Amino acid sequence: MALIPERFRDVHDVSSMLGALDAVVGGRTSARFAVMPADLDQAALSTDRTWHWDEWRVLLGDPYLALAVGRPESDQGAAGLPLDAPSVHDAPVLFVTIYGGCCILSSAAGSGVFRRLHQTFLREEYPSVGRGFLDTSMVFEVLEGVAADNCCSGFVVRGCSYRAPIDAAAEDGAWESDRKWTQRTLENASLYLAETKGWVRRIGFSFDWDEGEAGFCEAAGSLGRDAVVTATSAVPVVWEQVVLRSAAILSQEKETLQGRDRGNSYEFPLRPLKIRYGEPVFRDVAAAKFLVRQLRKLPDSSLSVYHGNPYLHVSLVDHLDGSSFAVWVVDAEEITILPGARASASAFGRLIGHVLDQFREGELIAHD
């Protein structure tokens, strides 16, 4: 039975985890991190997993509540993962860290394997763990925080994939995607997106980091709106500066989304969320129709359309946990989302992240 490779068996805390990951990156191998808002604790990680593992260890250490390390059980197959991987680089070993209201998955698995690990973990732990989402302003907040640090120099945007709106009535949809390899500064990249009214999907970066007596090292990687971070060099630096900054922002966002359900008897006050665009996005009925088409693409959900013109009113049910929402467009410049009797923070985040990426990015406004 394939167990955790020797290179990872000495991991006993987060520092040794980062060292082990740093030792295998390079060439085509990256360390990958998925940051997710969560309501998990040490006890939750210590219990038997519904997703079975060959080995599951829980390690404690301050400031991390728990660090677990495991590998999917060979007789389960775990969504078709290569359990007899030929090298340590391909071995689907997963580290799970609880930190600051977030759950962070870490691995040196390839992108496809890591995506399946991420999706399987989310499905097993939902809604205690939700999918992370960062809008464009949050992505730049993370990276600008790194660039402003006294230890950072030479911060460069190496690449950017993004979407930008086009006419909603156009045959090919309401937005178009593009990817550019660049040598831009953060400020220049931000201005370019503002000019195109685009929203970030993923930004690649590199920067030099002053490690004091050890000298300078080059850190490189990428940050996506799904809060998945890659590191191709200087893994501990990318963890500290990009992964944990992303976790801090997602923890704040989780507070905004929590506690908005109405209760079984609708005894709690209505606390809607709005996505505001600052321009008449819905001046034409074609935009509302496009929004409906995009909402239907949300996985594991169902949509009912009550009214489509001149205003939009739809009901959406999240089949993963039974959360429900009413989505209204009565103002040409905004979408209003009303929570139902049950509306978990994870379901709210999943719906909002989907709209901001698949329809058009706007400003999230909380009404309390």
Side-chain angles (χ1 to χ4, degrees):
M1 181 168 58
L3 294 176
I4 298 171
E6 185 67 31
R7 189 178 298 240
F8 293 134
R9 295 194 66 81
D10 291 334
V11 170
H12 59 276
D13 58 14
V14 170
S15 178
S16 57
M17 174 194 78
L18 296 175
L21 291 173
D22 195 47
V24 301
V25 301
R28 300 178 63 182
T29 302
S30 303
R32 304 180 194 277
F33 309 94
V35 188
M36 302 166 289
D39 287 313
L40 285 179
D41 56 18
Q42 175 198 341
L45 284 181
S46 299
T47 57
D48 292 336
R49 316 308 296 163
T50 52
W51 181 23
H52 298 289
W53 298 80
D54 279 334
E55 181 172 337
W56 185 263
R57 290 182 286 157
V58 175
L59 312 164
L60 303 180
D62 187 45
Y64 304 92
L65 182 59
L67 169 68
V69 55
R71 177 187 169 101
E73 193 173 70
S74 51
D75 64 355
Q76 295 294 315
L81 298 176
L83 297 171
D84 54 349
S87 74
V88 65
H89 301 278
D90 299 319
V93 176
L94 187 68
F95 299 95
V96 184
T97 308
I98 296 176
Y99 176 79
C102 284
C103 180
I104 305 172
L105 305 184
S106 309
S107 183
S111 60
V113 173
F114 184 75
R115 188 179 305 112
R116 294 195 292 275
L117 285 166
H118 185 195
Q119 292 172 346
T120 304
F121 190 90
L122 266 172
R123 184 171 290 274
E124 294 291 344
E125 302 298 338
Y126 192 88
S128 295
V129 176
R131 182 176 293 278
F133 79 89
L134 300 169
D135 65 20
T136 299
S137 66
M138 295 173 183
V139 170
F140 276 94
E141 182 180 346
V142 171
L143 299 182
E144 286 167 357
V146 178
D149 195 288
N150 290 333
C151 292
C152 179
S153 60
F155 194 105
V156 175
V157 174
R158 297 289 187 185
C160 180
S161 60
Y162 65 96
R163 287 174 172 164
I166 56 176
D167 183 1
E171 186 175 332
D172 55 349
W175 43 253
E176 56 188 355
S177 298
D178 199 1
R179 184 177 185 180
K180 295 185 180 296
W181 301 104
T182 73
Q183 291 287 324
R184 296 178 183 267
T185 63
L186 269 174
E187 181 180 12
N188 186 268
S190 180
L191 288 172
Y192 179 81
L193 287 169
E195 290 172 359
T196 61
K197 297 183 180 179
W199 56 96
V200 166
R201 305 212 76 221
R202 179 163 294 277
I203 283 185
F205 58 80
S206 67
F207 57 89
D208 294 324
W209 191 259
D210 185 357
E211 296 189 297
E213 294 182 0
F216 284 83
C217 68
E218 183 184 44
S222 67
L223 172 62
R225 68 183 299 112
D226 56 359
V228 171
V229 180
T230 66
T232 55
S233 63
V235 172
V237 175
V238 174
W239 168 274
E240 192 73 28
Q241 296 301 316
V242 181
V243 174
L244 296 190
R245 288 179 189 273
S246 300
I249 289 176
L250 286 179
S251 294
Q252 295 174 359
E253 193 70 15
K254 182 181 72 172
E255 297 299 319
T256 300
L257 301 177
Q258 281 182 328
R260 293 184 177 273
D261 51 332
R262 303 296 307 281
N264 292 333
S265 301
Y266 285 78
E267 63 269 28
F268 303 128
L270 182 62
R271 301 174 64 209
L273 290 174
K274 293 188 176 185
I275 301 174
R276 186 166 294 162
Y277 292 100
E279 60 178 316
V281 170
F282 295 100
R283 60 184 173 272
D284 190 283
V285 69
K289 290 181 178 179
F290 183 72
L291 174 60
V292 170
R293 292 201 301 272
Q294 298 304 86
L295 286 173
R296 291 192 190 279
K297 295 178 182 179
L298 180 65
D300 299 301
S301 71
S302 59
L303 190 75
S304 300
V305 180
Y306 299 124
H307 211 287
N309 186 23
Y311 64 88
L312 178 66
H313 175 204
V314 305
S315 173
L316 184 139
V317 177
D318 185 325
H319 294 306
L320 295 180
D321 74 343
S323 293
S324 62
F325 306 90
V327 180
W328 290 78
V329 175
V330 295
D331 184 316
E333 296 191 1
E334 64 185 29
I335 299 170
T336 300
I337 303 175
L338 307 179
R342 176 181 174 84
S344 68
S346 293
F348 234 139
R350 200 163 79 91
L351 171 57
I352 291 169
H354 182 80
V355 172
L356 294 182
D357 184 41
Q358 297 295 321
F359 175 68
R360 189 172 299 197
E361 191 171 88
E363 180 185 7
L364 185 62
I365 306 293
H367 287 264
D368 296 322

